[in-house]
Amino acid sequence: MKAHNTACPRNCYSTCSFKVWTDNGKVIKIDPQPLNKATPQGICLKGLSYVERVNSPQRILHPLKKINGEFKQISWEAALSEISEKLQYFKEKYSPQSVLFYYASGMSGLLNSVSTNFWKLYGGATTVYGNLCWPAGLEATRLSLGENKHNIPWDVENAKLILVWGKNPAESNIQQMIPIEKAQQNGAKLVFVDPRRTASAERADLLIQPIPGTDGILALSIAKILIEKNQIDKEFIDKYVLGYDAFKEFVLKININEASIECGVSVEFINKLANFIGTTKPMTLIPGYGMQRYTNGGQTTRCLLALSIITGNIGKPGACWHYADLQSDIFSEIKEPVNYFPPEKPDGIFRREIATARLGEDMLQISDPDLKMAWVERGNPVTQNPDSNKVKEAFRKLEYCVVVDQFLTDTAQEADIVLPAKTMFEQSDIISSYWNPYIQLRQKVIEPIGEVKPETEVYYLLAKKMGFPDSEIDKNIPYPSDEATEKWLNNQLKPWPDITLEKLKKGPILTPVLQEIAFSDYKFNTPSGKIELFSETAHKKWGVNPLPNYEKTIDGNKENKFPFNLMSPNTKNRIHSQFGNLESIKLIDPKPFASINLGDAHAKGIKEGDFIKVFNDRGELTINVKIDASLRPGNIVIVNGYWHEEGSCPNILSKGRETDMGHGTAFHDNMVDYEKPNIK
């Protein structure tokens, strides 16, 4: 047996370091890697299931072609020949932009940029702008603080108040519970704001359960109370904050009783939360990503951030806006969220005119040229994008589709050709994190199983097949060998001489630009050089109020005929649509279910274990029920990531809308009804 240091490349906060053991070229075991101070106690359940994932009998190990509606194994030669012919045909007859190149966040790594290099050599493609996850919150933070960074994860231990707002770290960021619990042992108070009573909230001193999408007015009400009681940091505000006087004038007009009705939180509990914030320092405020997936998501984030700003909880140990940390992303010329924005001036190569939020609708409507073909990698848009019935319709309208994946996902089922994708153990790459401050090597530990080829090799062979100039191929796509891959990665590391592959093989390395306490120098990369409560840029670029402001969500307004908020949070058992197909996960999470409130269930005559039909104007699904007395009334929870083939994909019900800023996706802004189905 041999142990290798590696790191998890999934779209997850933790980006855990771990040791993987191999025996005769097979992954057999996973152990903790304590060198990473953010993830010292080992990887999560999903990470442990990598042993099954890489060895799964369900893995695609050969190219597949759909023949008469069924997938049949074909050779790489046949697959690459057919794909190259199709690419050449669509390029010559319609233009390169008749091909959609769609990728998502299924596996991170610097080598992913090789994909874009191939499509440049091809002459271009149509791609998307925006993002499914977090750009509204990123943009809100960037507008306010100038950039997205936060204190090192273990600094949470220094907080005396930890306010976790709309996040369930015990499931979505399990490593964060370590410093939270240490802080509690040191006497810190822990407060959760969440319509659900989650496993994380069981540890809390206070749980506040607002109506989804109304967090902004709750935060502004608290700000009013803090200002009225003079529980603010006036010295900090005077030195470092722009727009406080306008913000103060604005929030003092809020009627707390009306705000209480709007957010569904009693005045008593609003005052309790305000008292925690106003009397306890330092405070670390940890917001989740779900709240900014509403149509008011960016402004909601600004409202929450205002609480940290006016109390001076920025730039000090234990005092932090703990939203996103991009300090370890030292390789990107343009950082998120700006890289999600459509170009102000098209480059004539990539047509970025399809919004991720409206993928299906925009695919169907785009013209000059129409879309004829799609190439999908690192993503499962038929499951994960809003209004997924429309996404499925758009894919079925295409003349040809190639999907690169490890399993036959919902999107792969729509393909003409499916190419087998590597796992994280079958090619080395360098990854960073949006939570911990490390650069890490995702190390190759086994040879690709079956006929699997890393995507870089697929692009290399396809470029050769299409007759691209050898000189251009050599400049843009590494030769298919471990030596060439390492040479390519070393080239990316040249600007950072203290980071080498040999060092990374021994374990994670702290980012060389690390500021352990974010903004401790009180330098803010905003137009004014200060924290901007009043942001002229927010108004000019996004058309929102320059001050943090609350607007009702589109679906969640009081006139909506569908009375229940559908929440589709993450779960410990999946990362979006990944892992749920594994037998080790099915043992603990065997079938889809919806959680509903006990009182709501009683009113509709629904019992534990019943099936219900969940519906709105966009679609319907039938799903098993679990009754949760702790869930706020008026809500239903179906975790995201269920596949269509499971019959419970929540994005059947979601609408393709953008957020108020950042070109995010507002699929949490989603009202439904449910009832017992009529069974004949």
Side-chain angles (χ1 to χ4, degrees), residues 60 62-65 71 403-405 407-408 412 415-420:
I60 302 168
H62 314 275
L64 302 175
K65 179 178 179 179
F71 285 109
V403 173
V404 186
D405 212 312
F407 298 96
L408 277 176
D416 295 280
I417 295 278
V418 180
L419 301 178

Side-chain angles (χ1 to χ4, degrees), residues 291-429:
M291 291 173 296
Q292 47 89 58
R293 295 173 189 156
Y294 290 83
T295 47
N296 61 7
Q299 284 289 65
T300 292
T301 305
R302 292 183 73 207
C303 291
L304 269 63
L305 177 51
L307 298 178
S308 293
I309 294 169
I310 65 174
T311 55
N313 280 295
I314 301 286
K316 306 162 190 170
C320 178
W321 168 253
H322 207 101
Y323 180 76
D325 189 6
L326 301 183
Q327 293 187 82
S328 66
D329 182 15
I330 59 175
F331 304 102
S332 298
E333 292 184 17
I334 303 175
K335 287 192 178 185
E336 299 167 282
V338 178
N339 64 338
Y340 298 139
F341 300 170
E344 294 182 5
K345 183 179 180 181
D347 62 10
I349 300 172
F350 289 106
R351 177 174 62 164
R352 296 188 70 186
E353 296 178 9
I354 291 178
T356 305
R358 298 188 302 270
L359 179 65
E361 182 179 345
D362 285 3
M363 283 178 66
L364 290 168
Q365 293 182 357
I366 199 165
S367 60
D368 298 324
D370 297 349
L371 291 179
K372 301 296 181 181
M373 176 181 168
W375 177 291
V376 179
E377 63 182 65
R378 292 174 273 136
N380 185 14
V382 171
T383 300
Q384 289 303 111
N385 287 62
D387 209 346
S388 57
N389 281 334
K390 192 163 286 186
V391 176
K392 190 183 296 184
E393 178 188 349
F395 271 87
R396 290 180 176 176
K397 185 184 175 185
L398 297 168
E399 294 183 19
Y400 196 71
C401 181
V402 177
V403 173
V404 186
D405 212 312
Q406 296 170 16
F407 298 96
L408 277 176
T409 64
D410 288 331
T411 305
Q413 294 283 358
E414 301 299 322
D416 295 280
I417 295 278
V418 180
L419 301 178
K422 68 177 183 294
T423 66
M424 61 170 287
F425 303 119
E426 293 164 333
Q427 186 183 38
S428 293
D429 207 346

Side-chain angles (χ1 to χ4, degrees), residues 225-270:
I225 294 168
L226 294 172
I227 291 169
E228 287 180 333
K229 291 186 174 181
N230 198 31
Q231 292 176 327
I232 58 173
D233 190 330
K234 191 67 166 61
E235 182 181 356
F236 179 88
I237 291 168
D238 289 344
K239 283 185 178 180
Y240 304 119
V241 178
L242 174 72
Y244 171 73
D245 289 338
F247 178 75
K248 175 182 177 180
E249 181 182 358
F250 174 66
V251 298
L252 288 179
K253 296 176 182 176
I254 292 173
N255 183 302
I256 298 294
N257 291 317
E258 292 176 358
S260 169
I261 294 170
E262 179 70 16
C263 68
V265 177
S266 69
V267 173
E268 177 188 1
F269 271 71
I270 294 174

Side-chain angles (χ1 to χ4, degrees), residues 525-626:
N525 188 27
T526 59
S528 65
K530 292 187 172 185
I531 298 172
E532 295 197 353
L533 274 176
F534 186 97
S535 171
E536 192 64 41
T537 306
H539 177 64
K540 287 182 178 179
K541 186 170 183 61
W542 304 108
V544 300
N545 192 314
L547 292 167
N549 185 37
Y550 170 71
E551 299 284 349
K552 292 180 185 291
T553 59
I554 291 177
D555 248 26
N557 65 69
K558 294 294 188 290
E559 290 74 37
N560 196 301
K561 63 182 177 181
F562 299 104
F564 294 94
N565 290 282
L566 173 58
M567 304 175 68
S568 51
N570 290 350
T571 166
K572 65 182 183 298
N573 303 322
R574 299 176 184 236
I575 295 180
H576 306 303
S577 64
Q578 298 190 76
F579 295 96
N581 62 311
L582 301 179
E583 294 304 317
S584 54
I585 301 298
K586 288 181 179 179
L587 286 173
I588 60 169
D589 190 8
K591 60 183 178 181
F593 65 91
S595 297
I596 61 176
N597 171 267
L598 176 62
D600 293 338
H602 180 74
K604 287 179 172 281
I606 295 168
K607 298 181 175 62
E608 179 85 11
D610 283 351
F611 281 88
I612 58 171
K613 181 177 76 171
V614 187
F615 61 94
N616 58 20
D617 288 337
R618 296 182 280 273
E620 65 178 55
L621 57 84
T622 301
I623 191 169
N624 198 246
V625 159
K626 289 188 178 181

